[in-house]
Amino acid sequence: MPVAPDRVAVWSATEAPASGLSAQLIAWQRQHGRHALPWQGTRDPYRVWLSEIMLQQTQVTTVLGYYERFLQHFPDVAALAAAPQDAVLAQWAGLGYYSRARNLHRCAQDVVGRFGGAFPSDPADLESLPGIGRSTAAAIAAFCFGRRTAICDGNVRRVLSRVLGFDEDLAQAAAQRRLWDIAEALLPAQDIEAYTQGLMDLGATLCTPRRPDCERCPWRDTCVARAQQRQADYPRRSRRLQRGRRDIVWLWLQEADGAVWLCQRPQTGIWAGLWCLPECDDLAQARAVGAALGVRPQVLAPFKHVLTHQDLWLQPVLLRLSPDVDVQAVERHLRGLGPQEPVPAACRRVLPHQRAAHGLPAPLQRLLESPPQPAPADLFSPG
Ligand code: SF4
């Protein structure tokens, strides 16, 4: 039977179902859960917090390639707080969702400035820090300080709504709050670390969005979705993401020594604060830039880069510059500035060995490392 909202109050009062479910999950986590991830086996809030932020919207296998390297560059919260933002973004480059990196940096500065360099243990204090939402605050509080508080991120919502048959529309804030109340009511009296890790492990390894492995699940005999064979119907969410498309023409201004011109993006919007090729509106404008520089542009094959909300179609145009080129003139042209107007100093020439010190979005790194073939010549025919 689906769960009625008033069951929450009953559970909060008795905790009877909670103890059964939580005991099963804790036992399963101890025997079958994940125990060897590099951010486990520690109560250091800096390491746990870093892993939690990296794991938001990113697979464990991807995070494994970044986590230790990030810690080598920034071994503690003080080192991270003192680092320039560019250095932080450079270590984050390729992980995506760059607002996480900027918030990570601001959070480290807040921990140093407001909390004397020690992460607070209270979930409400943790939640007051940049980039730490309620679920992340609960995870840090549980893993590092043994606090009895509930996580309820996207994976946990899926698991709980399936096992309990919670079929309210999670696009509604009120339904989200009710599910969170249920998550709180389910908490065990002790072993909060194993329980919290068990929820994460179950959502990541068995109760996956597609084809959950119910036969190996510790909650298979209780699960409403399994009993109804309606796993795909949970969680219920009425609002579906509308994907958009955006076309970007990148000007790849390359000099004979391998240097490329990169401009720092604004602090808001996609790839905020990262270093990127200059953009222009369309191929006609790229052609005009080429003509202004006396260079024949080479249109490379466009490629797609998928973001959460939209598909980016990236069209690189390569311009091989002669040594005496006036790049400021190019920028003036791109920005529609007059010959005497100053150009904002947001662009610089970057040699290949200097790229690592700049944060570059993943598709640009891939492009510079292995450029695509030129597009068919007629793409750049006059007209
Ligand atoms: S039985 Fe299946 S659907 Fe239910 S919680 Fe377990 S894995 Fe998820």
Side-chain angles (χ1 to χ4, degrees), residues 159 162-163 206-207 212-214 217 219-220 223 225-226 231:
V159 174
R162 282 174 174 171
V163 73
L206 297 185
C207 197
D213 188 354
C214 298
C217 177
W219 287 344
R220 61 185 171 274
C223 179
R226 176 173 176 265
Q231 291 93 328

Side-chain angles (χ1 to χ4, degrees), residues 152-161 170 176 179 235 237:
C152 201
D153 61 7
N155 277 359
V156 174
R157 283 183 207 147
R158 181 176 64 254
V159 174
L160 292 185
S161 62
L170 285 173
Q176 286 187 24
L179 189 57
R237 199 188 318 267

Side-chain angles (χ1 to χ4, degrees), residues 6 67 89 101 134 140-141 150 160 172 223 244 262 272 329 333 335 342-343 356:
D6 58 5
Y67 181 73
L89 289 173
R134 183 174 168 186
I140 299 168
L160 292 185
Q172 307 297 324
C223 179
L262 299 178
H333 191 94
R335 294 166 187 261
V343 178

